[in-house]
Amino acid sequence: MDTDTLRRLEEKALRIRTLTIDAIGYLGVGHIGGSLSIVEVLTILYYKYMNVDPNDMKKKDRDQLVLSKGHAGPTLYSVLADKGFFPEEWLHTLNQGGTRLPSHADMYLTPGIDMTAGSLGQGLSAGIGKALAGRLDGIESTVYVIMGDGENNEGQVWEAALSASHYGLSNIIAFTDYNKMQIDGYTQDIMDLDDLGAKWTGFGWKVLRVDGHDFAALDRAIRKAKAEECRPTMIILDTVKGKGAHFAEAKLSNHNMPFDYETAKEAIRRLEAKMKEKWAAEDADREKGD
């Protein structure tokens, strides 16, 4: 990945992360942890890979995304607002009465949402249905599914995994947000996933594992997944729950956390300052190299 593309994605991720913190902080409570751990994967998908158009939301050949961990909807809403699917002002209506942005993603309320989610374990099955439909219609498109690591406890996930492999659905690429936490504690304590990659390999999937906050690593993995012609791909993302919010990062309490708007604004200030410092240092190093 070239330097300009990397910087563009980092700048966009900063915007998406700050919009998400702001929206949840404005409400005063929400799923900050699992929302912030998937900022980078949503950013690279929507700003580099996915064929979507806010002016033609239902075009048949569009790529589709199933956010199976639907409680991370606030980050997806931030992306969709930034891309023009709906006004950014909607973000301050998050999970309030009459909103079109509920706590969990809903395809009947929110423009740009491809699948309603909330009951964990069901999203991969829906994604498989979309992938099969695309194959039957002769459409060249990709279905992306983002799942939680705790969600891998669900039996339906593994039925779906077997099905996708059986039908050779190379047009489906799934991600597991492996932040090692779920609502009741650490995943290894609630239901130990052990070698998650080996499990997906055993079910016939191509498996890749990367740092879920590293754009270059994400880019390489997605390119490898898109080049696969015979089977579905699972990309396991090692992530930090609550990434980028100083008050929530890596804390078990961040699954659905209350915090006030001042805390949100302070987190945004710290985050922006940290990224500007990082970019300034990188620019100085490049100038020395020139």
Side-chain angles (χ1 to χ4, degrees), residues 224-259:
K224 288 179 182 178
K226 290 182 72 66
E228 174 62 50
E229 297 180 351
C230 301
R231 54 184 172 166
T233 299
M234 168 56 72
I235 302 176
I236 298 173
L237 307 175
D238 284 301
T239 61
V240 177
K241 200 167 184 179
K243 176 73 172 178
H246 71 281
F247 61 91
E249 190 169 300
K251 294 183 179 179
L252 275 176
S253 59
N254 70 19
H255 185 85
N256 189 25
M257 172 184 273
F259 59 97

Side-chain angles (χ1 to χ4, degrees), residues 16 20-21 23-24 30-39 41-42 46 65-80 91 94 101-106 113 115 117-120 146-149 151 177 179 241-242 254-256:
I16 299 308
T20 303
I21 295 170
I24 299 175
H31 295 96
I32 189 74
S35 292
L36 295 186
S37 56
I38 62 168
V39 169
V41 67
L42 284 177
Y46 275 90
L65 182 131
V66 177
L67 184 61
S68 190
K69 47 172 288 178
H71 55 281
T75 299
L76 183 52
Y77 299 154
S78 296
V79 170
L80 295 174
L91 295 175
L94 175 68
L101 306 181
S103 177
H104 293 64
D106 189 325
I113 297 293
M115 189 66 212
S119 295
L120 295 177
I146 299 179
M147 305 162 54
D149 47 6
E151 187 175 359
D177 178 20
N179 57 48
K241 200 167 184 179
N254 70 19
H255 185 85
N256 189 25

